[in-house]
Amino acid sequence: MCLRDPVYDCVSDISLLEPASPAPCRPVCRHVRALQVPVRRHQAWDHRCQLSYDAEALRRRSGSEAGRHGAYDTGLASVMKPSTASGDDIPAIKPLGVGFSWDFGRFEEAEGMLRGVAEDLTQQLKLSFTVKGSNRLSSDKATLIRPLFRASPPTRVTKTARNRSPVIKDQTKWDACLKLFVGGGLTISGDQGVMMALIYHGGIRTNHFFLNQSALFIRTSSALFRTLHASKTRINAQAESTTSTLKEASVQATTKTSLEQKILGYEAIIGIETHVQLLTLTKAFCNCPYLYGSQPNTTVCPVCMGHPGTLPVLNSKVIEFAVKLGLALNCRLSMTSKFDRKQYFYPDLPKGYQISQFDIPIAIKGFIDLDLPVEFGGGHRRFGITRVHMEEDAGKLIHSETGSYSQVDLNRAGVPLLEIVSEPDMRSGLEAAEYAAEIQRLVRYLGISNGNMQEGSLRCDVNISVRPVGQSKFGTKVEIKNMNSFSAMNRAIDYEISRQVLLHSQGQSDQIVQETRLWEEGAQKTFIMRKKEGLADYRYFPEPDLPEVVLTKDYVDKIQQVLPELPEAKRRRYEKLGLIMQDVLFLANDNHVAEFFDASIENGADAKLAANWIMGDIAAFLKNERLSINEIKLTPVELSELIASIKNGTISGKIGKEILFELLSKGGTVKSLIEEKDLVQIVDPAAIEALVDKVIAANPKQLQQYRGGKTKLQGFFAGQVMKESKGKANPLVLNKILTDKLNGGN
Amino acid sequence: MPSLIQSPRFLLSHCLSPLPPNARSGFCGRLFHRSSAAAAALSSDAQTISSNQSSSYAPLLAPPSSEILSMRESLLSRRRTAAEIAEEYLDRLRRTEPQIRSFLHVSETVMREAEEVDRLVETGAELGPLAGVLIGVKDNICTVDMPSTGGSRILEGYRPAFDATAVRRLKEAGAIVIGKTNLDEFGMGSTTEGSGFQVTANPWDVSRVPGGSSGGSAAAVSARQCAVSLGSDTGGSVRQPASFCGVVGLKPTYGRISRFGLMSYASSLDVIGCFGSSIIDAAIILNAVAGHDRFDATSSMHEVPDYASCLISIDQFDSKPLKGLRIGMITETMGDGVEMGVVSSIKAAALHLEELGAVLTEVSLPSFSLGLPAYYILASSEASSNLSRYDGVRYGKQVAADELISLYGDSRADGFGPEAKMRILMGTYALSAGYYEAYYKRAQQVRTLVRKSFKDALEKNDILISPAAPSPAFRIGEKVNDPLAMYAGDIMTVNVNLAGVPALVVPCGFVEGGIAGLPVGLQMIGTSFSEEKLLRVGHIFEQTLQNHRFVPPLLG
Ligand SMILES: [Zn+2]
């Protein structure tokens, strides 16, 4: 891999950030203004959706004289609001795309200027190009514009009113304040805090019509959801996908049938955008480490805070991880890829743009294979992957309880993400949730992310539209966010499908509009968060601070060679080992479990037996102790040893279990435990015969009864012999001898 | 002409070995013994040149010599202390600053740092190559513990947490930052009138602009308020003020000097450059700051030669030191719209180069006039994005507001000046959906054309020459009402930025104006990473140029 300057063409002249050791950040706290934004939160979010302004509308507007004195056209009204009257008849306008207040005169100027400049270019190049849908600047217009170029004196700012909100300049006070708002009792964790605030707000703005509709669905399925909710409450994140799947099985099955009835005659089209946070030591473009849950604004530096003069330097691990994922998703890699700036204003975005990839993502056109759970009828699915691209994460906003201001935590700003965009191939909540689960499996297998949904390391935004079966045109797309588990995804999507189908079937499909909705766990329904006003114009352009990334075949081949066996390949291999699908899915679900299993069978353990031990007693132990399989003292070698010892008759199955628990909790080897506790099975018929004789001799009364026809007493004798042998007698040999003795000997 | 800076200059005939230990041996000796024989041999050339000039002052004068080396010599010979020298500069600064206004901030620790240098001298410790050298830093280059505003009200009072890599390297070499120099807001302008704080005057005529955007840095060196200074060049911001103020200005190859710590205006064009009163000083500064930086992915790993040691001393010259050098004069820069005085100065300079043995031809760059619109589209586009970070949220001006939109809107409306706003608007348009192809993409295509035409011309020629500006310094306020005319003034320089190649401006003559004439600079353009060649040619040119002394009358 090398880097190439797209303009100046210097190849491999450029360095990458060394990812080895995160340097301790220079204390920059004194430069962090309390990072507190005095905003009403809804305005903040309104802003986010509106900040891309509609260039076309702007152009129309600036061209129309009438527009100068009020009466905006629709496109413009959505992006501009008149500020307080200035006494002038021309209202002051805030073009949000530019980020400062300005009046229309200047827009004309800027546009005229630009057009003049472009005219110049055109004429000189003897080329003709026209700006889409606009007329060339006439000479009249040019003279009109000229006088406007009267530069006003530099804006002298006299006095600005003191900030009314409490801006805390002192670091200790800031910490205390954070504790107050974030730490003390009130548990706002990560995205949840923000999301909760949003939901709250979303609820207020929800259209009555939707409220009624949702109520309807809640009634039909609330019982199911409640059960599910209860079962979900204390599942820890790591075990989330393993344990909950089975538990929820029945619930989901029921949901599925009820859903199927509801959407009869309709088809849902689902596509998913997944953000995966990468497990790099340092952030994507600076040397800061990222640790989930750190005190706000402690893992920041001038670079990730967007200070003047700072520049991004790419962390080479990001490329490596992106290539890994691209290969794992069977994608075509772009051997030359570049970064672009995606521009919008928001307080959690320090630079005013996000470094992302626009037209040349690192990987495109792949697919992912997965097996649906057996409980839902099973089946194999292949979903298309449209693209995978690299980008940086934004910070987080923490909204104050009172809602009068919000605080910005930039710890997460600059953390590397891979965004995976799927083809709209999913048709149900289950498929979507399984797709997401497979992505989680994949990134964990690859070791590029912890894939933890609760911490926001894996975030899914789902696009859903519904159309009557047979119709080729897609329905209106609705986006859902804020699902922090797979089951939530499943439920949110099924809920949303039902909502849309109902609107369709009632002839109210026009009520389905392009919008973003949030899933609320408490209410078990989706709420409107914001309406989308046309297409956002993020004004992408190539990031001039970063060279292009040029991959070499060698580099890709090397990564390909060290790629681990992926979940799909594992499942197919396990199937060939003769395991049933349920076992296959269980074992391949968690890469650590799969590794453990693989290591066991490599040491000669019988696959079926190893699977049984792992899925049975070991899984139960893990669940009880809340451990993951790589945290226990039992090694795969010992498990295979244990299995072998039972198989060859050295110990009995019963003793095997005892030894297993010993190994799980205390460690050690099977051999030493057997020796230490003298647990070797007695298989010598003579020895067993002696024991049998002894027991028979000691129980003449029972012998008499047995011989009198009460043959059930054989069990009693067997038990006695076992007791005598301290459980070590081989049951088969024992029974054979015992039967002989009881029946034969006089 | 008695000069305030005489004292160090006259020391040059004694050449000890005041050089930093890193292998610059021999360089000093070759440099500073001005052989009278060589001078005599060249005097006929000099006559030819001076006959072209209208200026009648300035009889045979010594060519400019290095402030840095003479200072170093003074220190090592214990003739003067760093504190004395610093005091002298500060005195001059205090005296001239009310008229020139080139500094936005003057460091309070200069004397303390100079005394520290003296302590090192006393202990006999090894001195850095720039020990005690007072350096002015353009205010869009970050300096720790000193305000760095980029000339914008939006960053009023902002103090960065880090030094720009260039500044750090200068400090490591022993330099003392004397202060932060004025500029057009974020480097957007050609006069320094676009500063959010003050207007800087030209030391040659205080009713005139020093050029821009690095006007403060150029004026400060011209008025000898500091020995050398750092500027930045996005579309000519080092070269045009160097020409206006009669100093040496170097715009290195894109990527030669790390941009880390330079407030981005147009990232793909921005370069840090340097000013000095002699070529040697510019070369020594370049030596100190050039080279790869892991904090700037666009900084080049290209090897850094010893720029200063490759300069040939005048006594080593034969009569044709530039024999065989192919020089192309860019036809497009010598025609309409360029003032007659400027044209004749450049022609005289070209003639002088010819006398020194160079082969002069005229070169046409067909894409030359395309550069200007392409430059303004690209620069504005990148600027609109680079200035988004100034939102009043984390640092800088914050205007109290009840809602986020007003917080952004009011902070930025209050903080940015009109030129910055204009360029943000232009850039926002150029990048908008539906416009992108027509503007930004087209401009990038033009850029490729420009690069190619430079490449072709520089295959046939070793260096290209042109004026650095179509006119000498104009009057303050003269062009503020005509931004298009102002933009047009950048025609001489923007192409070089688009091509990413290095260019050096050397004072070459005067035109009438002011009390002592106004200086004119000669721009020399080379291929990427050919700074060494440019400096060598510039040095020969400078050493052999007779009858001109580029010390402003203000200091007389
Ligand atoms: Zn950082």
Side-chain angles (χ1 to χ4, degrees), chain A residues 25 283 286-288 299-305 413:
Chain A
C25 297
K283 294 184 182 180
C286 65
N287 256 336
C288 294
T299 58
V300 291
C301 73
V303 177
C304 53
M305 291 202 312

Side-chain angles (χ1 to χ4, degrees), chain A residues 8 13-14 26 31 33 59 98-99 102 109 113 118 124 156-157 163 305-307 309 341 346-347 350 537, chain B residues 158-159 161 196 254 261 268 297 300 369 385-386 389 394-396 398 408 412 414 421-422 433 435 439 447 487:
Chain A
Y8 302 110
D13 235 14
I14 302 134
R26 194 194 161 99
H31 302 281
R33 151 157 44 224
R59 191 190 50 71
V98 190
W102 207 246
E109 251 182 81
M113 186 102 173
Q124 307 224 28
R156 300 280 177 203
V157 181
N163 202 331
M305 291 202 312
H307 273 239
R341 291 185 182 177
Y346 202 63
D537 181 5
Chain B
Y158 171 73
R159 284 167 184 261
Y254 180 81
S268 70
S300 172
S369 54
S385 173
N386 282 329
R389 66 184 59 196
R394 283 146 296 130
Y395 48 79
Q398 187 181 72
Y408 280 136
R412 284 166 70 84
D414 270 11
K421 282 173 181 163
M422 173 58 78
Y435 289 71
Y439 293 133
R447 184 174 194 168
Y487 289 3

Side-chain angles (χ1 to χ4, degrees), chain A residues 49 463 477 479 514-516 530-535:
Chain A
C49 61
N463 284 303
K477 204 162 69 176
E479 188 184 28
Q514 268 215 22
E515 62 192 4
T516 299
R530 61 178 188 228
K531 284 207 166 41
K532 288 196 173 167
E533 314 267 357
L535 265 179

Side-chain angles (χ1 to χ4, degrees), chain A residues 38-53:
Chain A
V39 284
R40 291 203 289 276
R41 56 169 89 116
H42 62 280
Q43 279 158 336
W45 282 94
D46 278 353
H47 181 67
R48 187 170 217 173
C49 61
Q50 291 175 353
L51 35 75
S52 54
Y53 76 106

Side-chain angles (χ1 to χ4, degrees), chain A residues 5 7-9 12-15 17-18 26-28 30-33 35-40 43-44 47 50 53 55-56 58-59 62 81 94-102 106-107 109-111 113-115 117-118 120-121 124-125 127 129-132 146 149-157 160-164 167 287 302-303 305-313 341 343 345-347 349-353 408 410 537 539-542 544-547, chain B residues 142 144-145 153 155 158-162 193 195-197 254 259-264 267-269 292-302 369-370 373-374 376-377 381-382 384-386 388-410 412-418 421-422 424-426 428-436 438-440 442-444 446-447 449 451 480-484 487 497-500 529:
Chain A
D5 189 304
V7 177
Y8 302 110
D9 248 7
S12 63
D13 235 14
I14 302 134
S15 74
L17 204 70
E18 289 112 55
R26 194 194 161 99
V28 283
R30 65 200 168 102
H31 302 281
V32 188
R33 151 157 44 224
L35 290 185
Q36 184 166 301
V37 199
V39 284
R40 291 203 289 276
Q43 279 158 336
H47 181 67
Q50 291 175 353
Y53 76 106
E56 196 56 24
L58 197 63
R59 191 190 50 71
S62 62
K81 286 180 192 164
K94 294 179 201 302
L96 301 170
V98 190
F100 55 76
S101 319
W102 207 246
R106 299 295 289 194
F107 265 110
E109 251 182 81
E111 200 201 359
M113 186 102 173
L114 191 66
R115 213 168 283 182
V117 162
D120 220 17
L121 261 183
Q124 307 224 28
L125 273 173
L127 296 167
F129 63 91
T130 34
V131 175
K132 196 177 78 194
R146 267 299 172 102
F149 279 117
R150 196 143 295 127
S152 41
T155 324
R156 300 280 177 203
V157 181
T160 50
R162 277 192 75 84
N163 202 331
R164 266 166 284 158
V167 172
N287 256 336
V303 177
M305 291 202 312
H307 273 239
T310 56
L311 297 169
V313 180
R341 291 185 182 177
Q343 311 190 59
F345 282 98
Y346 202 63
L349 192 68
K351 298 188 292 294
Y353 54 83
V408 191
L410 293 179
D537 181 5
R539 303 193 308 281
Y540 281 101
F541 79 105
D545 288 331
L546 288 168
Chain B
C142 291
V144 75
D145 298 327
R153 289 272 170 188
L155 283 180
Y158 171 73
R159 284 167 184 261
F162 58 93
E193 292 164 291
S195 165
F197 301 96
Y254 180 81
R259 292 187 292 121
F260 185 76
L262 169 68
M263 295 172 190
S264 297
S267 307
S268 70
L269 301 162
H292 177 72
D293 174 20
R294 61 187 214 89
F295 291 113
D296 176 5
T298 63
S299 70
S300 172
M301 289 189 179
H302 201 277
S369 54
L370 298 178
Y376 272 96
I377 289 171
S381 300
E382 293 185 19
S384 73
S385 173
N386 282 329
S388 314
R389 66 184 59 196
Y390 307 113
D391 55 8
V393 174
R394 283 146 296 130
Y395 48 79
K397 178 179 289 294
Q398 187 181 72
V399 176
D402 287 338
E403 47 168 306
L404 190 62
I405 300 171
S406 327
L407 177 101
Y408 280 136
D410 298 350
R412 284 166 70 84
D414 270 11
F416 287 131
K421 282 173 181 163
M422 173 58 78
I424 291 171
L425 283 170
M426 279 173 66
T428 305
Y429 265 100
L431 292 177
S432 297
Y435 289 71
Y436 181 83
Y439 293 133
Y440 186 87
R442 181 71 41 141
Q444 285 290 26
V446 170
R447 184 174 194 168
L449 286 180
R451 275 177 58 73
V480 284
N481 290 343
D482 195 356
L484 281 186
Y487 289 3
N497 294 81
L498 290 175
F529 302 105

Side-chain angles (χ1 to χ4, degrees), chain B residues 500-524:
Chain B
V501 295
L504 175 70
V505 167
V506 198
C508 70
F510 290 92
V511 297
E512 291 212 49
I515 45 167
L518 296 170
V520 173
L522 170 71
Q523 178 174 227
M524 298 193 265

